[in-house]
Amino acid sequence: MTESLVQEKIALLNRYEESSEQFQSCYEKIIFDIVKTKDLFTVVRKESSVESIKDGTAPIFCGIGYNDTPSVWLFTEETIAKEYTNHYNLKKDEVGLYKKVAIEELTVFLFNAMFSGVSGLIVDEGKNTLTTNVYDLVNTSLLAMQR
């Protein structure tokens, strides 16, 4: 599944009535596609060193998102992550505060973060954004890992 298809599906999802079967089916496909995406990117903490950002060991950032919900940001394309960090001036010595993250690392982080009150997941695909909960991604990812 290519990243642009995730963007297209989010755009399609926004056209459906939230309570409809079409919405639920499309939503489940998006979550599954995200779990299967090879290249995922997320925002990292501002305290991260440039070295940890570059080598991918910087800790994932949690912040206040939509409706004041503690959230994590996710992108399926590096260009969108870069644009996001540039737009909000999230940089350390001119290096964007984002990293590539494996679904396994993200799943473990989100699983633990749930118990600290983090419940929001913002999948930012540029002009198409999905704001949802971390539980669906964690559950889908854990099920996919069992297969």
Side-chain angles (χ1 to χ4, degrees), residues 85 118 122:
T85 56
V118 176
I122 300 170

Side-chain angles (χ1 to χ4, degrees), residues 1-10 33-34 36-41 75-80 100 123 125 128:
M1 185 57 47
T2 63
E3 292 76 17
S4 63
L5 291 180
V6 171
Q7 293 174 21
E8 292 170 11
K9 286 181 182 176
I10 291 173
D33 288 349
I34 290 169
K36 293 298 179 188
T37 300
K38 298 280 187 227
D39 294 334
L40 294 172
F41 300 87
F75 313 90
T76 60
E77 291 184 14
E78 185 172 14
T79 55
I80 297 171
K100 184 175 179 178
V123 183
E125 294 297 288
N128 298 309

Side-chain angles (χ1 to χ4, degrees), residues 18 45 53 60 64 100 123 144:
E18 196 166 326
R45 298 169 97 186
I53 296 168
I60 296 172
I64 302 300
K100 184 175 179 178
V123 183

